[in-house]
Amino acid sequence: MPGYVSQDRNQINMNRLREESGVQRVGELVVVGPPGAAKQPFLSALCPRVEIANQDIILGSLPIHEELMVYCYGISYGQGFAWDLVGRKMLGYIVIFDWFDDQSFAGSKEIIEFTSSYFNAPFIIAADIGDRVLPVPECAIRPHIGLSAMTKFMFCRSNKPDSVRKVVVTLLDLLIEKLE
Amino acid sequence: MLLSISLKMELLRALLTGTALTPVLEPLPPTDLLLVHRFVWEKTLEFGIKMQGRHFPQDEIQARLRSLSQAQFSRGCPAKLKNCQLQECYMQQPGCMRAMALQQIEAMGSAVQEFLIIQ
C-alpha cells in the first residue's frame, strides 16, 4: 500500500496554515497524480496561496468565506503521504494525469485502484491536456463523463484557472449530491 | 457485481483514442464481459446523443449488433436457442458468449469513433 504513512511534518504544516488563517471550519481536498502530473500548476491555478511542503507535497489554501477554508493537498502517489490521517476525512479528491502519456495513465489507474478500495469519498478523474488540442470534440465530453454515481471523468487544462475551477466545482456538486 | 473504476477508465480511454478494446477485454471473465457490454453500450448512447442529438441512429447501431449475432447464430447455436442471447449463455456457453460479446463491444467502439471522428 504505497504512501500509507503518517508524517508529522505534514500535520505540523497543516496546523500552521490553520493557525495563520484563523478559521475554525476546514475542508480538505486531495489532488493526487503520478509523479510528473501537473499537481502544482493545478493548485496554483486554484488556490490564492500555495506552499511546497517538501518535494512531493504541495499545500494550497482556498478561502470559501470567512468561516470556511478548504485545504488542498497536492501529492505524488507513492510518496510518504498521510493517507491514514487525511484519507478518511477528506471531502473528496481529484486524480490528475497527463492524457497523452501512457505511463502517466497507467499510474493514474494504480492510484484509482488504491483510493477507490480504501476511501468512500467522491472523486474526479482529471485528464490534463495542458495547452494541447482537445483530442475529441468538446460537445462529446462536456460537462463530464460519468463513471459511477461518485466518480466523473473530465478533461482539464491544469494551467487555466477556469478549467481547474470547473473540475473542483464538479467535485463539489458530487459532494452536495452525496449529502442530499 | 460492479466494474472497477480503473477498468472503466481503461475502456473510456480506448473509446476516446480509437484504440482496440480487445486487449482490455481478453483477460476478463464472462460476467465482467457482460458488464463491459452494458457500460460500452451506455457510453455509445451517451456519445451518440451528445454528438448527434435527435439524429442519433440508435436503431442502426442495434441493427449492426443484431446482424453480428445473427451471423454467429447461423453458424450453429450450441445452446439451441432461437436467438443469440449473451445473458443466457455466459454460464452454459461461455466460449460462444465471449466471442459474440467481443465482436459486439468492438462494433460499439467503432460506432463511437464514427461519432467522435477521432482527431
Side-chain angles (χ1 to χ4, degrees):
Chain A
M1 202 163 50
Y4 202 75
V5 178
S6 299
Q7 280 204 340
D8 292 341
R9 190 175 167 188
N10 298 336
Q11 195 63 46
I12 291 164
N13 280 329
M14 194 179 73
N15 290 341
R16 185 160 58 83
L17 275 173
R18 282 179 178 159
E19 285 163 13
E20 286 173 12
S21 65
V23 295
Q24 296 299 315
R25 300 171 69 191
V26 298
E28 292 171 345
L29 298 180
V30 174
V31 179
V32 56
K39 297 165 290 277
Q40 189 175 344
F42 187 97
L43 286 181
S44 298
L46 176 68
C47 301
R49 181 177 165 186
V50 172
E51 289 185 15
I52 313 293
N54 63 37
Q55 282 185 337
D56 302 300
I57 300 179
I58 306 154
L59 293 172
S61 45
L62 177 63
I64 304 297
H65 56 66
E66 286 180 356
E67 295 179 350
L68 177 61
M69 178 75 85
V70 172
Y71 291 105
C72 304
Y73 302 83
I75 62 168
S76 286
Y77 183 67
Q79 307 302 324
F81 178 69
W83 281 109
D84 50 345
L85 292 176
V86 179
R88 271 173 268 152
K89 59 181 177 159
M90 65 185 171
L91 296 173
Y93 58 100
I94 294 159
V95 179
I96 187 168
F97 70 98
D98 182 343
W99 175 256
F100 299 101
D101 181 343
D102 290 343
Q103 206 173 341
S104 186
F105 175 69
S108 73
K109 276 178 48 197
E110 191 182 332
I111 294 168
I112 292 163
E113 278 163 19
F114 165 68
T115 53
S116 60
S117 301
Y118 284 92
F119 309 114
N120 198 28
F123 66 103
I124 305 292
I125 301 168
D128 181 32
I129 57 169
D131 288 324
R132 289 162 290 187
V133 177
L134 194 63
V136 291
E138 190 164 352
C139 60
I141 42 96
R142 291 284 181 259
H144 48 65
I145 298 169
L147 296 178
S148 77
M150 300 265 277
T151 311
K152 308 291 178 203
F153 170 89
M154 300 176 76
F155 284 100
C156 81
R157 296 185 189 278
S158 59
N159 52 349
K160 300 275 195 298
D162 284 355
S163 177
V164 166
R165 225 170 280 136
K166 278 180 191 165
V167 173
V168 176
V169 167
T170 304
L171 179 59
L172 296 177
D173 284 344
L174 280 180
L175 273 166
I176 292 166
E177 280 172 29
K178 188 185 172 191
L179 291 172
E180 287 172 349
Chain B
M1 282 283 290
L2 292 171
L3 284 182
S4 71
I5 299 291
S6 62
L7 178 56
K8 286 182 181 178
M9 260 301 292
E10 201 157 5
L11 294 165
L12 182 64
R13 192 163 189 256
L15 287 174
L16 293 177
T17 55
T19 51
L21 289 157
T22 304
V24 183
L25 306 177
E26 266 170 353
L28 299 179
T31 45
D32 281 3
L33 277 181
L34 281 178
L35 296 171
V36 168
H37 191 280
R38 174 184 285 190
F39 175 75
V40 174
W41 175 243
E42 286 169 1
K43 293 301 140 195
T44 305
L45 294 180
E46 181 177 339
F47 292 131
I49 291 166
K50 280 181 174 175
M51 289 300 294
Q52 303 192 346
R54 60 183 176 175
H55 301 296
F56 168 60
Q58 183 173 341
D59 292 347
E60 271 178 39
I61 296 166
Q62 285 173 321
R64 210 186 293 182
L65 299 184
R66 266 197 305 272
S67 72
L68 285 172
S69 63
Q70 279 161 4
Q72 173 97 341
F73 195 73
S74 66
R75 289 192 284 272
C77 172
K80 312 282 185 216
L81 295 173
K82 288 182 180 173
N83 294 303
C84 193
Q85 293 180 7
L86 300 179
Q87 293 278 357
E88 290 193 17
C89 292
Y90 83 93
M91 294 285 279
Q92 305 301 326
Q93 305 293 337
C96 185
M97 174 268 172
R98 168 180 288 277
M100 191 68 265
L102 290 178
Q103 282 183 53
Q104 291 196 348
I105 293 166
E106 282 291 1
M108 288 187 272
S110 301
V112 167
Q113 282 155 58
E114 287 167 23
F115 301 145
L116 297 180
I117 312 167
I118 302 297
Q119 297 172 352

